[in-house]
Amino acid sequence: MTTTGAREEPLSISEVAERTGLSVHALRFYEREGLLIGPVRRTSGGRRRYTELDVDWLQICVKLRESGMPLADLKRFAELVRHGPGNEAERLQLLDAHRQRVDAQITALEECRSVIAWKVGVYAEHLSRGEAGGLWDPTARSNT
């Protein structure tokens, strides 16, 4: 049931794939690896039927994986959520550790971007002055 009380329409695996950006193969993998927080319901013919809650959870999983969360940590997080209330401190610890790793990656990327921007400026300046010849020339005495 949705918050409005209306019955929620089940979603097919292809509909969930479209909404989450995951492939059908990846959705099956997530289910097989225990990354979902509940069992996926099936029709009498064996076809998977997902809920909006499944889609919401999968969208979180996608962002956690895209941000580099190890599969083992995602499995642990899903396991904690499945167990319900009482383990929120452990969930917080897991998520905070991941956030710290992401923050460190962002800092490292910003440093890389700074070096790249500086180098783009050097090349742009030399090209605008018509003095680009010899940039990173191994035969020159001074390279920039």
Side-chain angles (χ1 to χ4, degrees):
M1 296 286 254
T2 64
T3 56
T4 62
R7 183 109 173 119
E8 185 177 289
E9 217 31 60
L11 302 163
S12 70
I13 195 168
S14 60
E15 290 170 319
V16 173
E18 184 177 320
R19 292 197 32 202
T20 62
L22 292 168
S23 67
V24 168
H25 176 77
L27 286 167
R28 289 183 185 126
F29 172 81
Y30 271 49
E31 183 181 357
R32 194 171 50 251
E33 291 296 315
L35 297 173
L36 300 175
I37 55 174
V40 175
R41 296 179 191 261
R42 306 250 181 174
T43 66
S44 58
R47 294 189 180 272
R48 290 169 175 83
R49 302 309 284 169
Y50 295 87
T51 66
E52 287 295 329
L53 182 62
D54 294 324
V55 172
D56 292 344
W57 173 255
L58 285 163
Q59 288 171 333
I60 291 168
C61 290
V62 165
K63 292 303 178 193
L64 291 173
R65 288 295 291 151
E66 283 179 354
S67 63
M69 179 178 270
L71 193 56
D73 287 355
L74 185 55
K75 282 183 181 183
R76 180 66 182 143
F77 185 55
E79 179 183 316
L80 291 168
V81 171
R82 271 194 306 276
H83 280 100
N87 59 30
E88 292 83 2
E90 190 175 349
R91 292 184 216 178
L92 173 61
Q93 183 180 14
L94 193 147
L95 289 171
D96 191 49
H98 181 62
R99 182 192 52 79
Q100 289 177 35
R101 285 190 303 269
V102 169
D103 287 346
Q105 290 172 330
I106 289 169
T107 298
L109 284 171
E110 286 172 343
E111 291 170 3
C112 292
R113 183 178 57 194
S114 178
V115 169
I116 293 165
W118 166 74
K119 200 63 184 163
V120 165
V122 168
Y123 274 80
E125 182 181 325
H126 279 81
L127 282 168
S128 71
R129 291 194 319 238
E131 300 174 357
L135 283 174
W136 288 101
D137 181 350
T139 62
R141 286 194 70 132
S142 172
N143 288 313
T144 307

